[in-house]
Amino acid sequence: MPAPRGTARENPPGGPVTPRIDPDGAYLFAHMTKARYGVLHYSVSRDGLHWRQVNGGRPVSSDYHGHASIARGGDGRYYLVGNRSDDDPLIRFWVSDDLIRWTPHGTYRPDLKAVAGHPHPLPRIGAPKLFFDAPSGRFLLSWHTPNLDGSREDPERYWGSQRTLYVLSRDLKNFPDRPRRLFEWDMATIDTIVQPNGQGGYCAIIKDERYPSTNWPTGKTIRISCAKRLLGPYPPPGPPVSPNFREAPTIIRAPGKGDWLLYYEQYAGTGYGLSTAPRLTGPWYQVSGNTGVPEWDRYALPAGLRHGSMIAISKAQHDAIVAAFPDG
């Protein structure tokens, strides 16, 4: 039966697909690797699906350490956040005009003991993330902090006590308010990122950090909660958009404002999965890739990539990054 007029014809299921490429666009993946945890590496892509490392797989910074998260501020510059380790009391920032040269921008030491609804926090700051909210002109800085130690008998108690905390700042130098919990619901969350949903609201993409069981089948999966305002209130997240034991979500949009491409790591350094949807509210499905069978693969990333963030860049920026970090 022919497709109705004005609608796009979909490829037959499993049929060949030619990814779209924006002649003026590309993507950057700032990440660490399994071999060099916390060290900054770059991979690039033209279609958001097929990625290659630059600089011959070597680091692109000798200074940065952390779970790379990049946000472009209202001044057009790029800001990068990290920390030396979870027990580093400082969250550290770098700034760049070109994504090639990063210079220190400042530090922030959150008062973890001042967080309402999160008693007895441990002095731990996990995977700081950055999001710049254009309408308000403020950065949302988030991270996760636990309030229980693990034990040999119950190692997951530590992870089950993680909560997502945040502060707001206009310049990543001044932080006028105390940290707060981002979500009202009492569920372990880590690796939270925020994305405008294109309909006047925001979606928080989180890792459900409870351990999976018949009582909590969504444990260690990527889930999404959408709200009207940046700070919520966010309702309890929806069903998983990934299998269990996935983390570190990062999201981009396919060229031409196409489908959302949500990547997540099968830890530790095993590989990346991909789920896609026309809207952040779904419907989501998982894409075949990194299988070792090229005719099955819809996407491919180099082996051993770990936590980071993907951002859209221009073709000129892509070419400048490749030139600055040649493989030879």
Side-chain angles (χ1 to χ4, degrees), residues 12 72 83 87-88 109 137 185 220 228 326:
R72 192 173 194 183
N83 57 356
D87 56 6
D88 181 359
R109 183 168 186 159
W185 18 276
K220 311 292 188 186
K228 293 181 179 179

Side-chain angles (χ1 to χ4, degrees), residues 4 16 48 53 80 90 96 101 110 121 127 140 153 156 181 186 203 248 254 278 283 318 323:
Q53 282 190 271
L80 173 66
L90 298 178
S96 176
R101 291 164 289 272
L140 174 75
E153 295 75 22
E156 278 295 318
R181 283 179 52 172
D186 198 28
C203 290
H318 168 280

Side-chain angles (χ1 to χ4, degrees), residues 181-251:
R181 283 179 52 172
L182 185 56
F183 308 121
E184 296 177 353
W185 18 276
D186 198 28
M187 187 186 88
T189 58
I190 73 168
D191 292 348
T192 298
I193 60 174
V194 173
Q195 176 68 48
N197 70 6
Q199 300 173 355
Y202 301 83
C203 290
I205 303 170
I206 61 106
K207 181 193 177 187
D208 179 342
E209 190 59 332
R210 285 285 300 268
Y211 201 85
S213 68
T214 54
N215 293 324
W216 200 274
T218 63
K220 311 292 188 186
T221 66
I222 307 304
R223 303 172 67 186
I224 298 176
S225 173
C226 297
K228 293 181 179 179
R229 294 181 292 275
L230 174 64
L231 302 180
Y234 286 92
V241 297
S242 79
N244 299 99
F245 297 102
R246 304 299 192 271
E247 65 183 10
T250 184
I251 192 166

